[in-house]
Amino acid sequence: MTDMTDIISNFKSNGQAHIFTHFDKLDKVTQDLLIAQASSIDLDEIAALHQTLIARRSEATTMSLDGLEPADFIPLPHADAGRIREWCEATAIGEAALRAGRLAAFTVAGGQGTRLGFDGPKGTFGVTPVLKKPLFQVFAEKILAARRRYDHNIPWYLMTSVLNHSETVSFFEQNDYFGLPADQVHFFSQGFLPAIDSEGRILMSAPGEIALSPDGHGGALRALVRSGSIARMESEGTDLISYFQVDNPLVRCLDPAFIGFHLQRDSEMSSKMVLKSNPEEKVGVFCEQNGKCVVVEYSDLPESFTQARNPDGSLRFASGSIAIHLLNRDFVKRLGGNDGEAKLPFHLAHKKVPHLTEDGSLHTPDSPNAWKFEMFVFDALPFAKNPLVIETSRADEFSPVKNADGVDSPLTSHQDQLRQFTRWLREVGVELEADESGLPRVNFEISPLFADTAERFQKAWKNLAFKPKIGTGVIII
Ligand code: UTP
């Protein structure tokens, strides 16, 4: 009882008394849930965030661009014999690490996916051209294929949020973990913060419920530690974490070349980049500043930088971040622990959040009314020893599902998958009619269990006793 009284009076003395306006009318279970939610909120942290990020936002200086240079990166080998050798060496090192069981796959799936507007965790959204396999299944099959190829357990960690945890776990249970051993798939929920209005008042989504939102993909570092995942990795001998987002079906979940370069250069955090498609593309850019690797958000990069060109005419700040990283387990432990050497900064997002008004009715706003706070995983880069950026091909590895339509939508991702499958088939001599963008006239798909890269496709195709004729609806498994 004292606890409950203390919590309520703490909220009252911090200007948040409205949280408990309807408390006496709630049933006991809802009261307990509200108290549990309230007790997990650090009111000092919220007040400080309001003060520094919102109340004084007009004074907020934009990030300093002093000494900002494009970050170095390892380019794709293309036809350069020396580079091809380097990539082959890196691949061999990465494959050895996979065979030794040093890798864990890690998906951040705690986002709300508001832009897609799909009712359910984004990972349950169907993306493949014919079967409409959900994103989770695509990743599961890539991990399953890697387990078979390297003949070793590869645990898969998934970060969910308080808003989608149980739905995500049930989805895996209902689908038998898509063929992966259940004890190798680990879920944990990330941290959260309340949404607040411009005056710093915490918003309620129902009389007994605070409007909570996840603390951003950067919350992964502390959630990996708090959930015991890092301790589990230590006990299992997994020391490298292959990080990817839930929205990109083309991602190579466990890329030996990437792993090999990361190990060769003794990096604590490595990242993949693609060349920006145009100066205005809305992706963060890898830069170097005062000897540190940083990602500068597109909104922070002035036009003089986004438009800057090299003498050969190419874009100067061209390294687009695609949110694929490798993290050393001990680096995550160092940053994500309670006494972590560094706290990642919070960024502000202004969003539409349905909330209770003073008269107790639910208001659904049609313009942004609330502030949310998020950490970004790439803010860990400046703390990493020997951070490394390597290039990958956009066509082969990046086609996220972000929006309901237009760019980065289910349609563009579907088409990019088809183009990739068509390139693989053409490389083994199969003739397929396609338009000038490489999009075939027929709709088919290739399972990640058959192949998930061009090289693997070539091998698997060669071994096929009976070669299917590609037409609409064909599925190569
Ligand atoms: P996005 O930046 O695309 O955000 O997340 P989102 O919340 O999924 O989608 P919108 O902006 O509401 O439309 C990029 C990746 O980071 C994960 C997402 O699940 C996605 O894989 N993420 C994002 C988290 O895991 N937690 C978060 O708090 C935010």
Side-chain angles (χ1 to χ4, degrees), residues 208-465:
E209 199 179 317
I210 296 171
L212 296 174
S213 45
D215 60 1
H217 42 68
L221 303 186
R222 59 187 191 182
L224 274 163
V225 177
R226 284 179 192 170
S227 62
S229 305
I230 292 292
R232 181 193 289 269
M233 289 180 199
E234 278 174 338
S235 71
E236 290 178 351
T238 309
D239 63 348
L240 298 168
I241 303 170
S242 183
Y243 170 110
F244 52 93
Q245 300 195 153
V246 77
D247 52 21
N248 177 18
L250 292 190
V251 67
R252 292 178 181 155
C253 302
L254 297 145
D255 179 359
F258 188 32
I259 298 164
F261 280 123
H262 174 87
L263 288 171
Q264 245 180 359
R265 309 281 171 110
D266 194 21
S267 168
E268 286 187 317
M269 177 169 179
S270 299
S271 309
K272 284 194 181 176
M273 58 73 92
V274 295
L275 290 173
K276 278 176 69 172
S277 57
N278 60 71
E280 288 78 31
E281 189 181 0
K282 292 184 172 174
V283 286
V285 175
F286 289 104
C287 296
E288 219 171 280
Q289 192 175 38
N290 306 323
K292 301 275 184 204
C293 182
V294 292
V295 170
V296 183
E297 285 187 86
Y298 62 86
S299 48
D300 287 335
L301 209 57
E303 216 184 313
S304 55
F305 282 73
T306 52
Q307 300 289 344
R309 302 267 167 186
N310 294 311
D312 66 1
S314 59
L315 281 183
R316 200 160 121 70
F317 290 89
S319 295
S321 168
I322 53 170
I324 301 174
H325 307 282
L326 270 167
L327 294 149
N328 280 7
R329 178 197 68 210
D330 292 343
F331 174 63
V332 173
K333 185 173 174 183
R334 220 169 72 216
L335 253 67
N338 274 342
D339 47 357
E341 71 181 58
K343 266 189 128 185
L344 300 191
F346 276 101
H347 300 254
L348 264 188
H350 205 200
K351 300 263 170 146
K352 289 187 257 180
V353 175
H355 65 101
L356 277 198
T357 56
E358 274 176 25
D359 65 9
S361 59
L362 188 69
H363 174 63
T364 305
D366 42 27
S367 59
N369 62 314
W371 297 99
K372 293 183 176 182
F373 305 102
E374 293 193 346
M375 289 179 277
F376 297 158
V377 75
F378 54 70
D379 282 329
L381 273 171
F383 299 100
K385 190 175 76 178
N386 305 331
L388 178 72
V389 182
I390 83 164
E391 186 184 8
T392 188
S393 137
R394 179 188 296 265
D396 282 331
E397 200 165 355
F398 186 55
S399 186
V401 178
K402 295 270 186 206
N403 305 305
D405 39 42
V407 289
D408 296 342
S409 63
L411 178 63
T412 54
S413 184
H414 167 137
Q415 293 178 335
D416 287 339
Q417 291 172 67
L418 272 175
R419 289 190 186 97
Q420 185 182 56
F421 299 152
T422 302
R423 285 194 302 279
W424 293 352
L425 281 158
R426 285 179 163 177
E427 279 166 27
V428 296
V430 174
E431 281 177 25
L432 263 186
E433 246 192 277
D435 68 14
E436 69 278 12
S437 77
L439 186 65
R441 311 221 178 278
V442 290
N443 189 36
F444 64 99
E445 83 180 52
I446 299 171
S447 164
L449 292 172
F450 184 79
D452 59 359
T453 62
E455 301 74 37
R456 289 182 199 127
F457 182 79
Q458 273 177 26
K459 277 192 202 145
W461 185 261
K462 215 160 110 197
N463 293 337
L464 263 192

Side-chain angles (χ1 to χ4, degrees), residues 31-335:
Q31 280 186 342
D32 288 348
L33 286 173
L34 180 57
I35 290 292
Q37 274 192 331
S39 66
S40 66
I41 293 173
D42 180 344
L43 290 175
D44 292 339
E45 181 178 49
I46 299 302
L49 288 171
H50 173 252
Q51 195 55 23
T52 50
L53 294 180
I54 303 173
R56 294 210 299 260
R57 104 178 156 277
S58 54
E59 297 165 23
T61 45
T62 44
M63 108 168 244
S64 158
L65 301 169
D66 285 352
L68 200 69
E69 294 287 328
D72 282 339
F73 63 87
I74 298 180
L76 281 168
H78 298 294
D80 181 314
R83 284 202 193 132
I84 292 175
R85 209 171 27 253
E86 280 168 24
W87 279 72
C88 288
E89 277 165 22
T91 302
I93 293 172
E95 287 182 329
L98 281 154
R99 261 186 231 104
R102 295 180 60 181
L103 268 297
F106 176 40
T107 309
V108 286
Q112 289 175 275
T114 42
R115 284 170 286 170
L116 182 61
F118 168 66
D119 187 20
K122 203 190 258 190
T124 66
F125 184 78
V127 277
T128 62
V130 180
L131 294 172
K132 297 285 170 221
K133 283 182 194 168
L135 282 152
F136 283 139
Q137 182 171 2
V138 174
F139 306 138
E141 291 183 352
K142 291 185 183 191
I143 295 166
L144 191 54
R147 290 171 63 91
R148 291 177 183 159
R149 193 175 318 119
Y150 302 113
D151 194 20
H152 211 292
N153 274 343
I154 302 177
W156 185 15
Y157 292 82
L158 293 107
M159 182 173 83
T160 60
S161 87
V162 65
L163 304 174
N164 67 16
H165 184 82
S166 43
E167 249 186 291
T168 302
V169 176
S170 313
F171 188 72
F172 274 81
E173 283 167 0
Q174 283 154 18
N175 288 288
D176 231 351
Y177 296 83
F178 302 104
L180 288 167
D183 64 0
Q184 292 285 308
V185 185
H186 310 294
F187 304 90
F188 61 89
S189 199
Q190 69 180 106
F192 49 81
L193 285 106
I196 63 176
D197 66 15
S198 296
E199 279 69 55
R201 281 160 53 94
I202 293 174
L203 299 178
M204 300 289 286
S205 51
E209 199 179 317
I210 296 171
L212 296 174
S213 45
D215 60 1
H217 42 68
L221 303 186
R222 59 187 191 182
L224 274 163
V225 177
R226 284 179 192 170
S227 62
S229 305
I230 292 292
R232 181 193 289 269
M233 289 180 199
E234 278 174 338
S235 71
E236 290 178 351
T238 309
D239 63 348
L240 298 168
I241 303 170
S242 183
Y243 170 110
F244 52 93
Q245 300 195 153
V246 77
D247 52 21
N248 177 18
L250 292 190
V251 67
R252 292 178 181 155
C253 302
L254 297 145
D255 179 359
F258 188 32
I259 298 164
F261 280 123
H262 174 87
L263 288 171
Q264 245 180 359
R265 309 281 171 110
D266 194 21
S267 168
E268 286 187 317
M269 177 169 179
S270 299
S271 309
K272 284 194 181 176
M273 58 73 92
V274 295
L275 290 173
K276 278 176 69 172
S277 57
N278 60 71
E280 288 78 31
E281 189 181 0
K282 292 184 172 174
V283 286
V285 175
F286 289 104
C287 296
E288 219 171 280
Q289 192 175 38
N290 306 323
K292 301 275 184 204
C293 182
V294 292
V295 170
V296 183
E297 285 187 86
Y298 62 86
S299 48
D300 287 335
L301 209 57
E303 216 184 313
S304 55
F305 282 73
T306 52
Q307 300 289 344
R309 302 267 167 186
N310 294 311
D312 66 1
S314 59
L315 281 183
R316 200 160 121 70
F317 290 89
S319 295
S321 168
I322 53 170
I324 301 174
H325 307 282
L326 270 167
L327 294 149
N328 280 7
R329 178 197 68 210
D330 292 343
F331 174 63
V332 173
K333 185 173 174 183
R334 220 169 72 216
L335 253 67

